[in-house]
Amino acid sequence: MLTRKMLSQGLPVLWTDRLVLRSLRQNDFGTLSELFSDPQIIRYVNRGNQPTPVRARRLLNQIRSSSAKLESLHYGICWKGREPLIGIISFQHWNEQQGTAQIGYIVSRSCWGLGIATEALRRMIEFGFTELHLSKVEARCYEANVSSERVLYKSGMSYERTLPSFGSVEHDVTSESDTLMDVKVYSMYREQQVQAIMESNLQAMVFDKPQVT
């Protein structure tokens, strides 16, 4: 089990079939600034009706501050064998004593529709349960963010509840008008992940079993 004290020495690198999840470096913040300056990317992030550049700077400052205090664990998402970031995924509001954390992610628009978010999310959740010994992982998305909700569902998370009128988001990225939107809360418990792994292993055993003719 990894503790906050152990992680103060650095975050372990996480791998998937196509991706590398690694700790953020100083030269990554220029890339993150570009990502956060895209109105379509930040539309459902860092809620508020401030201009996109202001919200982007605020988000960068929050990442720097929470990383330094290890209140959140921020991982850069990269293609295997390539250095530039294509996104970021984080455990936020990490409570080591209670074993809970909230997960969130941002992926470059050029990588939308490639399954990157789902792949990174599944690996991060696995890391949370096996290495951080979390008992529950929670995620939130605006009701209008259908794509993100689909990612949470495909990652094995279950709908839990709705928070009414949680902040404001741009109703139209070309418009200045804002609208209040409900936020959907998804979650996964360690027992769910263990059960999913057991079912996956059982299916693999069935498919691998030689057929008798």
Side-chain angles (χ1 to χ4, degrees):
M1 174 180 171
L2 295 175
T3 64
R4 181 173 268 106
K5 183 177 181 180
M6 294 167 66
L7 291 175
S8 65
Q9 305 301 313
L11 303 180
V13 178
L14 308 178
W15 304 81
T16 72
D17 289 341
R18 299 180 295 168
L19 307 173
V20 176
L21 310 184
R22 60 165 176 79
S23 58
L24 296 177
R25 304 165 183 166
Q26 186 58 41
N27 59 3
D28 289 329
F29 284 92
T31 303
L32 290 177
S33 180
E34 292 179 9
L35 285 178
F36 300 161
S37 296
D38 186 331
Q40 291 196 43
I41 287 179
I42 204 174
R43 184 182 183 189
Y44 297 112
V45 181
N46 206 357
R47 63 190 181 278
N49 54 9
Q50 295 175 312
T52 297
V54 175
R55 294 164 63 195
R57 287 196 297 270
R58 187 175 68 181
L59 184 54
L60 283 173
N61 290 334
Q62 289 175 346
I63 290 173
R64 284 194 174 98
S65 175
S66 60
S67 292
K69 300 174 184 176
L70 280 182
E71 295 172 342
S72 300
L73 304 180
H74 299 289
Y75 272 88
I77 305 173
C78 307
W79 291 112
K80 274 185 178 178
R82 305 181 196 176
E83 283 295 315
L85 293 189
I86 57 173
I88 182 173
I89 187 165
S90 313
F91 275 135
Q92 305 151 8
H93 310 296
W94 176 31
N95 189 314
E96 190 175 6
Q97 286 69 41
Q98 295 183 9
T100 59
Q102 185 174 314
I103 197 167
Y105 66 90
I106 295 174
V107 175
S108 170
R109 191 143 50 106
S110 64
C111 296
W112 288 3
L114 301 179
I116 300 302
T118 302
E119 190 170 329
L121 202 66
R122 286 174 175 169
R123 181 65 183 93
M124 194 73 165
I125 290 173
E126 178 187 10
F127 169 68
F129 287 135
T130 59
E131 301 298 330
L132 301 181
H133 208 60
L134 296 178
S135 58
K136 178 185 179 183
V137 174
E138 184 177 285
R140 300 182 178 189
C141 66
Y142 282 106
E143 61 176 354
N145 195 353
V146 178
S147 296
S148 188
E149 185 175 8
R150 188 180 301 117
V151 167
L152 301 181
Y153 178 78
K154 289 168 64 177
S155 299
M157 305 188 82
S158 303
Y159 171 77
E160 187 172 283
R161 66 188 188 280
T162 295
L163 304 175
S165 302
F166 198 78
S168 62
V169 298
E170 297 175 12
H171 181 68
D172 185 336
V173 294
T174 63
S175 171
E176 295 297 325
S177 62
D178 292 344
T179 183
L180 293 175
M181 287 192 180
D182 292 346
V183 165
K184 291 187 175 182
V185 180
Y186 276 72
S187 65
M188 179 184 282
Y189 292 83
R190 186 191 302 129
E191 293 78 7
Q192 289 176 272
Q193 201 234 8
V194 170
Q195 181 64 30
I197 292 175
M198 292 176 60
E199 291 177 356
S200 177
N201 291 340
L202 181 59
Q203 288 180 354
M205 291 173 61
V206 172
F207 285 122
D208 290 342
K209 183 178 180 180
Q211 296 186 0
V212 178
T213 58

